[in-house]
Structure formats: C-alpha cells, structure tokens
Amino acid sequence: MSHCSTATPQDNNVNDTEEPLKKRIKIDHNGDEKKMSSSAMEVTATAEVDEKLYSRQLYVMGHEAQRRMMASHALLIGASGLGAEVAKNCILAGISSITLCDPNPANSFDLGGNFYLKEADVGSSSSRAELCKGKLAELNKYVSVKVADMPSLEKEAILNLVDGMSVVVITIPLPTDILHAINEKCREVNASFIYTLSTGLFGKVFCDFGKDFVVSDKDGENPASSQVENIIASNPAVVKVLEDQGRHGLETGDFVTFSRVKGLDGLIDEKSRQYEVKVTGPYTFELVGCDFSAASSPATQGYITQVKKPVSMSFKTYADALEDPGELMMSDFAKSDRPPILHLAYKALALYSEKNALQYPQPGDDNAAQQVLDLAKSIDSDNILDGNAAAERIILHLASGSRSILSPMCAALGGIVGQELLKACSGKFTPINGFLYFDADECLPEKLLPQTEVSPTGSRYDSQIAVFGKTAQQKLLDLNYFLVGAGAIGCEMLKNWALMGVGCGEKGHIHITDMDRIEKSNLSRQFLFRDDDISEFKSSTAARAAKVMNTDMNISDYVEKVGSDTEHLFGDDFYDKLDGVCTALDNVEARLYVDQRCLFYRLPMLESGTLGTKGNTQVVVPHLTENYGATRDPPEKSIPVCTLKNFPNQIQHTLQWARDYFEGEFKQSAEDVNSYLASPNFAETLAKEQNTKLDTVKSIRRTLVAERPTRFEDCVVWARLKFEELFKNQISQLLHNFPEDQVTSTGTKFWSGSKRCPKPLAFDLYSKCEDAGMRNHFDFIVAAANLRASMFGIKGRNDEEYFRDVLNNVIVPDFVPKAGVKIASNESEAKEEAEVTNRGGEMDVDTECEEILNELPKQSELAGFQLTPVDFDKDIDEHMLFVTACSNLRALNYSIPTEDTHRSRAIAGRIIPAIATTTALVTGLICLELYKITGTSQKELQLDALKNGFVNLAIPFMTLSEPTAPAKTKAILEGKEWNWTAWDSLDFNMGDITLQEFLDIFEKKYRLDISMLSYNVSILFSFFANRKKVEERKKMKMSEVVTSVSKKQLPPNQLFIILEVIANDLDTDEEVELPYVKFRFR
C-alpha cells in the first residue's frame, strides 16, 4: 500500500496556511481508494502536474487544488446527455478516476444531448455507459475511466460503489428512497453528493457536501495587494496605501501580511505574523491590537498582501432540503418567484415517475402533464399555485417536455455541475448550498403544442421535436451560420450545433474559420482535439470531429482571419447567404469588426466569452437589441515609460521591461542585421526612420561586429557581461544621478512613495530568491546564452558545470560612472527629452550613422549569412526562463517581490485563465438564445424573451437579464418622424442607377437636398465641387462614379456601396441627421 503525501508548492491562488492534514487517503497501486478523508483539503496527490496540458486551467485552480483533483475519484450515475457533459468536463479537468454507472440502453431522446452516441447505438445491447467509455477515455490519458458492471440500478449495488469515492453525481431520475440512501452513504464515507436533472428546458442541481466541508478559497480571486505609503507610529497603527495604485480592497476582519517594509524600527513582523484589519477608508486601515507608538519613525514603503482564510460550510441532506429547502439560489432576478415553483414541480414530477415505473410523461400527452400538475396542487402546502395561471403553465410545460434531453441545457447544467464536482474534489471555490433551479421557458410557446407536432419520430432530433415541434426543428436544420473561432468556445458550439441539427438540412450550412493551430495546452478544454491533432489547424480538425457527431452536418472550414484584409473571401456575397454569426474569439478588436459586419448585414450575433470561472453571453438581434460595440470597456492603462525604464514598483513593471528587452535583443537586433544584409540601399531605407536610425545602426554594429559570437563560450561571456550591465552598472549609474539621500525641490525624499530606491546586484551563481525560490542569476545566464546562440545558429547547452567553468574565467570591467548622463525622473521629463532628441542634432545623427555604416562589413562579404530572429512564445520554456529571470533580477534591484515562472508566464504572456466548465456553460446559454432567434412556433420574438448572461461558477453566481434596446436618433423623413438606430440605413435596391437618378430620389421621395455625398474618404458629389465635373458624374452609374473618384475597382464579390450623406430638408432648410446609405448595385 502507498500513502498520498502532502504537497505545498508556492501558488498565489491557494492559501499556504491551510490546517495540517488530519488524515491521509490510502490508495493501492491500482488507484482504488480505501479510506476517504473528511475534506477535499486533506487530499493531495503525489503525481507531478502536467503544466503543458493544464496550463490555462492552473491559472484558475492553482497547483494545490489540481493535485487534490488528481487524487480524487468520482462516481457518475447516468450517462445520458447531462451525464456525458459532466463526465467530459471533469475528465478534461484531470481528476484521478471516474466510474460510469448506467446499465440503461440508449434511446432516441439521448441523442439530443449525448455527443458520443450515434443513431446506430439506439437499440444496441450495450449500455449508455459502455457506449461512451472509450470516447470519454480519449479525452485525458491521466484519467482512469471505468464502467460499473451491474445489470440494473439496484440500491445495494449502487451503495457498494460509493465506498472509496470523493464525490457521487446522479444525473438521471432515481426513486426517492434510493436517492436518500445514496446521500446517507455519502455522508458516512465523507463523499460529496450531487443530484442533477435536465428535463427539456428546465433543470435542477442539488449539492450536499456534508456537515463540515472546508473551502480553501471561497472565490478564487487573487489576494488583494497594495503598497504602503506610510504606517503611522500610533496606537493602533494606521496604514495608508498609495492612492495611485488603487484602493486596498480589504474588509474589516481581513488579515494581511507585510513585506519589504522600510522604517518603523523593524516592528513589522514580515516572517510569521498575520495582522487583522479594521478598515477606516478606501486607502486607510488600522492594524487591530498593534501599538507602534514607540517607533522613532513611520514606515514609508512596503507591500501588503491579503491572507485568504479557509471557511467551513454545512449542508442539508437531500431528504431535509426537499421538505425545507431554505433560500434557493437565483439565476434570473426577473423570475424571483420561479425557484419555489420549480421546487414544487420537480417534487410532483418525481411522484408521477414513481407511480409510472420511473417514466416521465410522453411528449404531447396532455393528460399526463395534467396529472403532474394535479400532483403539484396536492402537495402545495404553501399555496404557490392558488390562482397562479403562469405557474401552472410552467409545470405543464416541464411535464410535457420532461423526457427531452436538449444539448444546450445539458451543456449549461453540465458546466455548473462539473464545477461543483471539482469543488468537491479540490476544496476550492464556494459550492452551491442546497438547490439551484434553472429554466429557459422564454423559448417555449405560450401553449402546449399538439401531439402531432411533438410526437417522437425515432430520429436523433426527437428531444427537440418534443419541446419545439417538427416545424421549428426544420428551421434549425436549414440555418446558415458563420462560426468565427474554433477554440474552446468554438468546439463546444460545434458540438451543440451537431446535436441540435444546425446546418444539417439540405438548405443549411455552417462556415467555421480559425487561423490558429492546435497546441498541447488546448487539450484540457478544447475537447474536439487529441494528442495526434497537435500542430493541425483548429478549424479543419473541429469540423471533422463535428461531422463525426452528426454526419448530416454541412460544414466548410477556413484558416483565415476575419478582418478587412479577407473581405475578398468573407464579403457581401458571403454574408448575404447567412442567417447569423457566432463569435468564439479571444480579443475585442476582432469582435468589434464582426459586430460591424453584423450591423451592416443585419444579422444576429451570438457573443460569449470566459475568464476563468467567469463567463458572459450577449445576444445581438437586429432592431431589437443594441449591437456589441454600442458599449465598450475603457482601454487598459499603459505603464509610463519612465516607470518601466527607471522606477518600477510592481512585478508587472519588471516583466514588461523583460519582455521589451527580449524583443529588442533577440528579435529586433536580428531583424535589423538581416535587413542590412538583404538591402543594397539600406542607407536610403534608414533615412525614412530619422528618430530611430542611430539606435538601429548601433544595434547592427554590436550584433554583427563588436559582440558577434563564433562559439557558445562567447555567448556565455556575452550573457555575463549583460548581467553586469543591466543589473549592476545601470543601477549604479541611476544612483550616481539620484543618490539615496537626494531630496526634491520641495524638500521631500526623491526615493519615496512609488519610487523605490534600487541597489546593484553582485553576481552570484548560487543565489536563490526568497519569494520564488529561483536561481535567477544562473537562469539568466543559461537562458540568455542559449537564446543568443540560437540567433547565430550555434548549438547551445545547459550543463551547470560547463557554465561554472566558463564564468570563472570571465573578466568583468569595473563600473565607472558616466558624467552628463540625463535620466528622466518623471513622464513629462521623458517626453521633453524625446522631443529634444527628435528636433535637434539631425546633422550629428546623420554623420554618426554614416560613420557606423562605413565600419560595417559589406553585404557581399557576408553572402548567405543570416541571423534567426527569436519570436517570444510564452509556451516555450526557454523564453519564459529568460523573461522570468530577467524580471526577477530587476525586481531584486528594486526590492519588489519576485514571481516563479508559472505566474510570470500568465502576466508576461497575458494568458487568459480558462477551464472547460465555464466554456460549456456559456455555450449552452448562448445556444438557448439561438432557439429563440430561430423562432418558436406560435410565439413572436420580443426583447424581454432574450437573455444576456453573467456567471461566476466560483462564488457561485448567475444572473440573466434582458438586453438593452438600441439607442434611437430622431429624424423627419417624408414628413414623418423616424426614430432610427444603428441597425437602420437608407436602402437602395434599384440596381446600378445614375448619380442623377440617385439625387432625384432623395429630392422627390424624401424631400431632401443632398449637399455632400461620400464613399469612404472620396467625395462623390458636393455643392462646392467643379460644376463641369458634377454634370459629368450625374450621367454616370453610381458604381462608375465610385471607381472613377476613388481610383479603385470594386471587387467582384462586392454587392453594396456604403455612402454617407449630408442633406437638408427642402421645406425647413434644416440639416437632417441620417444613417448611411446602403446602395446595392449588383
């Protein structure tokens, strides 16, 4: 027998002050758990975390939580649509094992939600669990996927499976007495219990994690951090933070630690003490019980970090919660009365099923649906249904569609439940305490559809037909949609569409594009990809995988970026055939471009995004809602240049500096050399870059002549001298200009506030930083030398003994301060220096450039020679080793806490944390909006039926809200008031008429006199233009006028010309504010 050991790596997202482990799990060599601990916090795996695979997820969960998941085992009862979603999400997340328990055969309703079942599987002798096992196992080689061998779901057989499990999840209806028994058994063995159902457009989730479940991190947010402006020597001590760094973000009762505190006679205990906080303002707080009044001086600098404390939660059993659910979690505040109704409805549905051999009502069986409603009335002790016709409608719809397994609902609930499962295994994030009910009844018609419209046909779409009817299903099949992006959201979306039948009819089609290729880090959430697909294009691979799920899907894949430079491919003729666009993008710029296309072509846009456990969805519908770009977040603040160059105070500053240095030293310098070698007229090219040409030629001289290596040893020497220059000499020069005791003209210390006084570093091959535990000195030399060698095509090496021998023989010149060196002390001085440089000394610059160019070897002497520029890639370890070491060394210069490579990778690479559960949830929510847009029988789409969503699975929190209507602009047209929006335009569909005909229409139809007409930057017509030219153009067709004035031919796939008009009312002579003119000339 082997024992799980405890691991406590440094991780910013996990508090490292957790309670000691009271118990340990015993696991045999086959991974079978023999004894379960009382808390997920007490479980820790010994296996190493595959950081390449779980890269993005680790920024959500953290290493410690990931290790706990890797030591956890789940029992999943039910392998229909919801079960498959939950299994997929927890397997991608990397738990140790999952046991599938479902002896039931597949039926046509299962095909609506289980993406690993095929039509041929219906009627198979194999169970749903057996049919899914192989495909699920392919998702993650580290996860053991098993199938419980049992002929039926008998109570005792199920209870025997609970032993050794961390969590039990039930996704299919079971008799209430068996549910209670499983719940009680879970409590006995300290396993968490989750019961969830997806029935048509309604769903429920219940969680019982025991009497005393410990949550290590309730919200997953990074600990609040700030910088000390001063700590007053008083009783109690009062802390004020630097206001330009933002509010401290603390609450009374929080605990904090301090580091790098300067002053206060050393009274602050930075090593072991946590200080309790009493907040007195957004930038001030007191330290409870701390009397620092005896200190001779206040503290003037330092770092403050919040301590995240574990919390304990208590849960009700399923039996107790059924009778007294307490406060029910809300998902839509417009439906505040809905959770109690659904609680009652599901109790009635359970009673009905137990009276009918665990079968739910058949679709369209009005009598059976009425029986469920009658049962609800009979147990309605709170009189919820008295005179409540709306509540009765909800129960009837739930009952009628209860056999339906809808992919969007399974995806949404599977994301929620999958995260609850991970909470049970990891102890991270706050679980749902009790019940969550969720519904999308806005998709439904007001009344039940007739049985002829909803009765099963034995097709893969029976689940959707049961809810929406055959007519609506045909609309889905005939949809033509453009999916922009084939990453995590794109994969989930394609899976949902394959099950829904989107683009799977004779008239339907899906277009998908993504220019990226598959990387290993994608595999933990982009579930359509496998190891064998690495380096393949995402779009084509995802298209093939979706086609396997539904062979009827009509899909075309592209590897092009969507933007102005690809409008020859995605142009008027392309968008003209679409019914809508779905974005699965990772940047705002691309979203805004697609938004403008959707505005112009008046197409719905389905938008969603995730950030760790947070997710958002936005549905954009022509004329009903505002467009995506109508509201925008403010741009990110940039770091001032002088802060980066000389006065950093945060690790973000040093990482940006290290990134910039990487780009300049290993990429730009090589590109400059290659440009010189490839251009015989390099001097002429250089003349166009007056502000940077001197730096460019100096860089070429250094790289090509003064510092050009011929062997790897030269690269090591170069790296050692760079260390001296960057982390000792430059700092010494800065202190020469601004000594530590310098005061400003106002008498304040220069080195105070956000300006941290630096200290030069003495090179030490064995030095290890306290915070990150990294050998930054050694790492910098190794990474810099190897990157330099790769530029010059020299073979690198990493053995420490070799580096030690070479470094011992490097002669490092002593530092001598330079006189006359100007260093900007603030941003305004930096701008002044740049302006002076740009204005003056051009003759000196030209002369010096010419002299340097004459010193360089001629291109003919280096024929065939070329350097290899190094493009920074956050996922290449050697690149990140350099950036991390470089950043940390600069941080050590300025007494800034250092970071390890994992955290540095997130900051420097601007990595977006991601996890499969959130992705599944947002795509499920957005596909529910697709149902509404496509159109439900007997119901006209209204704004209040649409829902935008924001979720945070960590808290947990979900809110769905009505989208905002588009802003209106008032105009008088044809004598009538017209309130137009961004969706509107003046549409001309009369063919390629002449300019005169165009002007006449405005005058006669709209009573408007056009004073100016323009196309892009070209003025086609104006009252002040040359009269002769105007008369000539009036006789020309509109397309001819455009090509004549713009001097550009219109592409063959362009159907529309966009015209801007300035016009006055002929009756009032007032200018009328108009939208653009959409002129169709083909």
Side-chain angles (χ1 to χ4, degrees), residues 87-158:
K88 172 201 48 143
N89 292 334
C90 69
I91 291 170
L92 289 172
I95 66 171
S96 177
S97 74
I98 182 168
T99 301
L100 308 176
C101 177
D102 189 346
N104 296 316
N107 59 59
S108 62
F109 290 102
D110 295 325
L111 300 177
N114 189 318
F115 39 89
Y116 288 145
L117 292 178
K118 298 182 175 64
E119 289 174 280
D121 294 328
V122 176
S124 166
S125 59
S126 298
S127 69
R128 291 187 296 208
E130 291 168 332
L131 291 167
C132 295
K133 176 191 172 184
K135 290 290 187 181
L136 288 170
E138 291 177 6
L139 292 172
N140 193 334
K141 65 182 180 181
Y142 297 113
V143 180
S144 172
V145 181
K146 310 168 188 176
V147 172
D149 184 15
M150 58 171 60
S152 61
L153 293 170
E154 298 293 335
K155 182 194 295 185
E156 291 306 316
I158 296 174

Side-chain angles (χ1 to χ4, degrees), residues 157-186:
I158 296 174
L159 294 180
N160 289 336
L161 291 174
V162 176
D163 287 315
M165 294 296 168
S166 314
V167 57
V168 176
V169 182
I170 303 165
T171 65
I172 54 176
L174 290 178
T176 303
D177 66 313
I178 294 182
L179 290 172
H180 293 335
I182 296 172
N183 191 184
E184 289 302 323
K185 180 65 181 285
C186 286

Side-chain angles (χ1 to χ4, degrees), residues 481-666:
Y481 254 76
F482 186 23
L483 179 57
V484 188
I489 289 177
C491 285
E492 289 285 340
M493 201 67 70
L494 271 187
K495 172 259 297 177
N496 291 345
W497 288 0
L499 299 182
M500 294 163 67
V502 174
C504 298
E506 289 184 8
K507 300 178 183 178
H509 205 97
I510 292 171
H511 302 268
I512 181 170
T513 189
D514 196 314
M515 60 191 296
D516 289 342
R517 293 179 183 269
I518 298 163
E519 300 172 355
K520 185 175 180 179
S521 62
N522 301 146
L523 303 183
S524 66
R525 63 201 186 283
Q526 299 175 19
F527 87 108
L528 296 183
F529 308 144
R530 302 290 179 270
D531 281 323
D532 293 343
D533 298 322
I534 291 174
S535 297
E536 297 292 325
F537 280 109
K538 289 184 177 181
S539 55
S540 54
T541 308
R544 286 196 303 271
K547 187 85 173 170
V548 170
M549 291 180 180
N550 189 335
T551 56
D552 291 332
M553 178 177 278
N554 304 308
I555 186 166
S556 298
D557 57 273
Y558 310 82
V559 292
E560 305 293 336
K561 178 182 179 181
V562 176
S564 56
D565 53 346
T566 55
E567 288 181 3
H568 64 282
L569 182 62
F570 307 120
D572 290 346
D573 57 341
F574 177 81
Y575 285 99
D576 199 44
K577 300 169 186 174
L578 296 178
D579 295 304
V581 178
C582 179
T583 55
L585 294 160
D586 60 1
N587 69 89
V588 173
E589 182 184 355
R591 288 182 171 105
L592 290 172
Y593 174 82
V594 174
D595 175 56
Q596 288 302 306
R597 296 290 83 195
C598 289
L599 262 180
F600 178 70
Y601 297 108
R602 298 189 186 111
L603 293 171
M605 175 174 157
L606 302 174
E607 156 61 18
S608 56
T610 68
L611 180 67
T613 58
K614 301 182 183 77
N616 68 277
T617 63
Q618 181 178 354
V619 55
V620 175
V621 179
H623 305 294
L624 273 184
T625 74
E626 67 177 8
N627 61 300
Y628 172 80
T631 55
R632 303 187 191 183
D633 294 329
E636 288 185 23
K637 290 183 179 180
S638 59
I639 303 170
V641 175
C642 67
T643 300
L644 281 179
K645 289 182 69 175
N646 299 308
F647 309 113
N649 56 70
Q650 299 177 32
I651 198 67
Q652 287 85 349
H653 300 161
T654 64
L655 279 165
Q656 184 60 55
W657 180 85
R659 270 290 312 271
D660 292 346
Y661 185 80
F662 185 106
E663 294 287 331
E665 197 64 65
F666 303 117

